[in-house]
C-alpha cells in the first residue's frame, strides 16, 4: 500500500477527529489537507501511519481551535457548529459514542472545555485511543492526559445530552413535526414540543434571525406555525435529513438553493430544542445558498397582502 492509499484509508477518521475538535467542516477539511501535505513531505516512514496522522491532525486542530475561540467570542448571536449531514467515519463498535459526540448539543457542550481537554476527551471517549497515543498527539505526559480527561469528564457529565434511544422513534417524531410545520398546524406542533422547548437561530449577523431565543411550547409553535405556511406559498421546500446524527431538515428555495438547516434535539418523546442554522458561511459547503434577506422581504410582502 503506497502513501496515497494509506492516507485515503484513514481520511474519514482524520476528518471526524478534526470536525469534533473544531465544529467546522471547512476548517476540518483544511486540517486534513495540511495533514496530507506534511505526511507526503515527511522523509521518514512512521512506525504507525495511523499514530502519525492522528497526532498531526490533532495538533493542527488544537492550534486552529485556539485562534477560532477569539473569533467566536466576537460572533454575532448564538454560535452553532457547521451542519454535518454525513459522518464519513464509521465504527460499529463505537457507533453510539460517534453518533452522540457529533450532535449539535454535544459539540456545544464541548465548547466548555479547553482545546487540550477537548482533544483528550474525544480521542479517549469517542475514538478509544490509548493514553500513549493520546500523550503523543497532544504533546503531554500520560499522567497529564489522565488529569485532562478527569477534568473534561467533570465538565461534560452534568450537561451531557441525552437522546431518545430508538432512532426510528426520533425519525417518526421529526416527520410529524415537519408535516405540522408545513401545514401551519399550531396545535399539532405544540403537542410535539416539550413544555420548555427552545427555538434558537444562528445567523451570525449575515442572515435574518430571531431577536432572541424563543422559549416554551406555545411560543415556539405559534411562531413557527405562523411563518412556515407563507414559506410554502413561496415554494420553499423541506427536505428531511439527519443533521449531525440527529433528526433535521434542509430548507431550499424554488431554485434548490439552501435557505437554512433545522436540527432537532429529541428527549423523552418530545422535541426539546430546535436549532436553525441560517448563516450562509456555515451552509456553503453544502451547495449554493439562497438569499435569506430577499426571501424574508418576500414573506413580509405576502403576509401584508394576505392581511
Amino acid at each position: 500500500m503506497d502513501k496515497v492509499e494509506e492516507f485515503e484509508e484513514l481520511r474519514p477518521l482524520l476528518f471526524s477527529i478534526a470536525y469534533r475538535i473544531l465544529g467546522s467542516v471547512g476548517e476540518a477539511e483544511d486540517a486534513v489537507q495540511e495533514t496530507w501535505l506534511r505526511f507526503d513531505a515527511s522523509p521518514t516512514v512512521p512506525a504507525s501511519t495511523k499514530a502519525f496522522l492522528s497526532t498531526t491532525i490533532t495538533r493542527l486542530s488544537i492550534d486552529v481551535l485556539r485562534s477560532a475561540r477569539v473569533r467566536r467570542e466576537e460572533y454575532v448571536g448564538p454560535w452553532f457548529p457547521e451542519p454535518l449531514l454525513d459522518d464519513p467515519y464509521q465504527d460499529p463498535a463505537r457507533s453510539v459514542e460517534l453518533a452522540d459526540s457529533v450532535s449539535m448539543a454535544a459539540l456545544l457542550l464541548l465548547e466548555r472545555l479547553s482545546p487540550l481537554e477537548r482533544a483528550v476527551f474525544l480521542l479517549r471517549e469517542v475514538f478509544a485511543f490509548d493514553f500513549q497515543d493520546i500523550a503523543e498527539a497532544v504533546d503531554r505526559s500520560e499522567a497529564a492526559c489522565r488529569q485532562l480527561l478527569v477534568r473534561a469528564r467533570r465538565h461534560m457529565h452534568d450537561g451531557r445530552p441525552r437522546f431518545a434511544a430508538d432512532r426510528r422513534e426520533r425519525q417518526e417524531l421529526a416527520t410529524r413535526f415537519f408535516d405540522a410545520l408545513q401545514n401551519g398546524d399550531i396545535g399539532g406542533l405544540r403537542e410535539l414540543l416539550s413544555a420548555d422547548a427552545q427555538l434558537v437561530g444562528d445567523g451570525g449577523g449575515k442572515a435574518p434571525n430571531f431577536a432572541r431565543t424563543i422559549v416554551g411550547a406555545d411560543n415556539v409553535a405559534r411562531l413557527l406555525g405562523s411563518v412556515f405556511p407563507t414559506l410554502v406559498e413561496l415554494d420553499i421546500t423541506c427536505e428531511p435529513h439527519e443533521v449531525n446524527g440527529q433528526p433535521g431538515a434542509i430548507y431550499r428555495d424554488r431554485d434548490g438553493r439552501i435557505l437554512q438547516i433545522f436540527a432537532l434535539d429529541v428527549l423523552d418523546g418530545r422535541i426539546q430544542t430546535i436549532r436553525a442554522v441560517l448563516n450562509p458561511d456555515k451552509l456553503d459547503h453544502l451547495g449554493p445558498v439562497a438569499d435569506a434577506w430577499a426571501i424574508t422581504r418576500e414573506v413580509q410582502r405576502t403576509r401584508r397582502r394576505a392581511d
Side-chain angles (χ1 to χ4, degrees), residues 51-67:
F52 176 87
L53 295 177
S54 299
T55 294
T56 304
I57 196 80
T58 299
R59 292 183 180 182
L60 286 169
S61 298
I62 288 172
D63 288 344
V64 172
L65 181 59
R66 284 173 173 152
S67 62

Side-chain angles (χ1 to χ4, degrees), residues 73-276:
E73 288 174 0
E74 301 170 351
Y75 194 80
V76 177
W79 178 91
F80 294 160
E82 289 182 9
L84 182 69
L85 301 187
D86 297 292
D87 187 357
Y89 180 67
Q90 302 295 323
D91 180 354
R94 309 290 298 171
S95 60
V96 174
E97 292 83 355
L98 287 167
D100 284 354
S101 66
V102 83
S103 71
M104 288 260 183
L107 291 172
L108 289 170
L109 195 57
L110 284 166
E111 288 289 304
R112 301 180 184 182
L113 308 183
S114 72
L116 280 177
E117 288 171 344
R118 185 166 181 160
V120 169
F121 181 85
L122 289 167
L123 290 176
R124 182 63 180 174
E125 299 292 287
V126 177
F127 297 100
F129 278 49
D130 62 41
F131 278 104
Q132 181 178 350
D133 288 339
I134 294 171
E136 175 66 22
V138 301
D139 195 23
R140 294 293 189 275
S141 68
E142 289 188 38
C145 289
R146 292 180 188 276
Q147 286 300 311
L148 286 166
L149 181 61
V150 168
R151 290 204 299 269
R153 282 173 172 166
R154 189 182 306 128
H155 287 306
M156 294 288 288
H157 178 72
D158 291 339
R160 186 135 191 162
R162 295 181 296 117
F163 302 112
D166 189 325
R167 181 174 180 176
R168 185 169 61 85
E169 179 185 334
R170 283 185 289 143
Q171 293 300 338
E172 289 176 354
L173 181 64
T175 298
R176 291 167 58 200
F177 171 80
F178 288 116
D179 285 346
L181 197 56
Q182 295 291 98
N183 296 325
D185 181 359
I186 294 174
L189 288 169
R190 191 185 295 114
E191 289 179 4
L192 301 173
L193 298 168
S194 66
D196 58 347
Q198 295 187 19
L199 171 62
V200 194
D202 175 355
K206 299 184 178 183
N209 199 8
F210 317 114
R212 55 183 175 78
T213 298
I214 312 302
V215 180
D218 191 62
N219 293 329
V220 172
R222 286 182 180 280
L223 176 63
L224 293 177
S226 64
V227 171
F228 274 78
T230 307
L231 291 177
V232 173
E233 289 182 40
L234 300 177
D235 299 322
I236 303 299
T237 58
C238 172
E239 178 185 317
H241 200 294
E242 275 201 354
V243 178
N244 289 74
Q246 302 298 319
I250 305 168
Y251 280 88
R252 299 181 186 273
D253 70 5
R254 57 174 63 94
D255 297 315
R257 296 172 299 187
I258 297 173
L259 173 63
Q260 63 181 354
I261 297 282
F262 264 24
L264 310 180
D265 287 351
V266 176
L267 179 63
D268 298 331
R270 293 287 186 273
I271 295 167
Q272 177 71 39
T273 306
I274 305 162
R275 294 186 176 87

